[in-house]
Amino acid sequence: MSHTAVKNMPESERPYERFLRLGAEALSDAELLAIILKTGTQNMTSMDLARELLSECHGNLLNLYEFSYEELIEHRGIGPVKAIQLKAVAELSNRIAKTASGRQLSFRDPESVAVYYMESMRHLREEELVAAFFDTKYNFLGDAVVARGGANYAYVTPAELFRRAILKSAQQIILLHNHPSGDCHPSEADVSLTGRLSEGAKLLGLSVGDHIVIGDNRYYSFRENAMMP
């Protein structure tokens, strides 16, 4: 925020001053966003800009993740640098949340896996296939995006999936992909892909334990529905 903008605001409303006096946890979503934005426009303070952004997110900061870089720079008061900053903050927030929840992620509990990936995958506009890797004791080793496709299908190369698994010394794999339509029921192509990758994994001494389809706050687990080969 510029010195002029700060001076024109009542002290009690200045995000920087409130941060120093009360701490980050006392600040509203808009105030935290205003600190990231730093400056507004000639006719708007950074607080005005933050409130406007939040309004377009329906008051939910999680929806900020859905804005593309191109959409952000079209917003008045947001240029390339601010757009990059906002996308970086959204991605960092997502990764921090995943790191924290990863400690509770259980290979044997499809719901915990679905919840872990739900927020990052349900907003995607194209299909992505993600592989979550586990060791022989079912400890989570991380994940990788192994395919990206159109709106209806994720194109996957089995070699890329198994290469990533071997690099992470994984023994167990859980596949996840999203349906941009929001419907989490698997297609015939999803069933065929699961069978093909499961068979390929066996040849390498690996195991595909589940395939989870992410919809809009819904999921479908092949394992829970006895659909695994």
Side-chain angles (χ1 to χ4, degrees):
M1 187 181 297
S2 68
H3 293 299
T4 302
V6 170
K7 289 177 182 177
N8 288 338
M9 296 178 68
E11 184 174 351
S12 61
E13 293 184 15
R14 299 174 190 172
Y16 283 87
E17 280 78 356
R18 282 176 51 77
F19 178 95
L20 291 172
R21 285 191 295 108
L22 304 172
E25 62 278 4
L27 272 61
S28 67
D29 291 348
E31 287 172 324
L32 291 170
L33 263 182
I35 288 175
I36 299 299
L37 292 168
K38 294 184 180 179
T39 58
T41 67
Q42 187 173 3
N43 300 315
M44 299 173 68
T45 66
S46 57
M47 277 295 295
D48 293 331
L49 184 54
R51 290 190 186 104
E52 191 171 278
L53 262 179
L54 274 177
S55 176
E56 293 181 17
C57 291
H58 305 291
N60 187 343
L61 271 176
L62 287 174
N63 292 331
L64 183 62
Y65 193 87
E66 293 188 26
F67 285 107
S68 68
Y69 168 80
E70 291 76 16
E71 288 171 330
L72 285 170
I73 60 175
E74 289 179 0
H75 193 289
R76 61 171 180 163
I78 298 179
V81 173
K82 286 181 181 176
I84 290 171
Q85 290 171 330
L86 288 170
K87 290 301 293 181
V89 167
E91 182 59 30
L92 273 174
S93 300
N94 180 56
R95 294 186 188 187
I96 290 168
K98 284 180 67 176
T99 300
S101 60
R103 301 187 186 99
Q104 286 77 46
L105 190 147
S106 170
F107 179 84
R108 295 185 177 90
D109 179 10
E111 183 177 6
S112 76
V113 180
V115 168
Y116 180 72
Y117 288 96
M118 182 65 70
E119 276 308 312
S120 61
M121 295 190 73
R122 75 184 183 93
H123 299 293
L124 298 174
R125 297 174 185 179
E126 290 188 333
E127 287 196 15
E128 284 190 359
L129 182 71
V130 173
F133 303 110
F134 299 80
D135 63 17
T136 54
K137 296 182 179 179
Y138 306 112
N139 296 310
F140 182 50
L141 301 175
D143 55 31
V145 176
V146 293
R148 288 187 172 93
N152 299 312
Y153 190 69
Y155 298 92
V156 58
T157 303
E160 177 63 13
L161 167 63
F162 301 136
R163 183 183 72 84
R164 295 293 188 97
I166 291 168
L167 285 173
K168 288 186 176 292
S169 300
Q171 291 294 317
Q172 311 282 347
I173 304 168
I174 290 181
L175 302 171
L176 303 100
H177 85 277
N178 63 300
H179 280 175
S181 66
D183 181 3
C184 63
H185 290 89
S187 65
E188 290 184 12
D190 297 335
V191 175
S192 174
L193 176 66
T194 305
R196 184 160 56 94
L197 294 180
S198 295
E199 290 301 313
K202 288 178 185 177
L203 296 175
L204 297 172
L206 306 173
S207 174
V208 176
D210 200 355
H211 186 172
I212 297 173
V213 184
I214 301 292
D216 189 6
N217 276 325
R218 295 174 290 173
Y219 75 93
Y220 183 98
S221 161
F222 277 59
R223 180 177 177 179
E224 284 183 339
N225 289 277
M227 290 280 288
M228 288 303 299

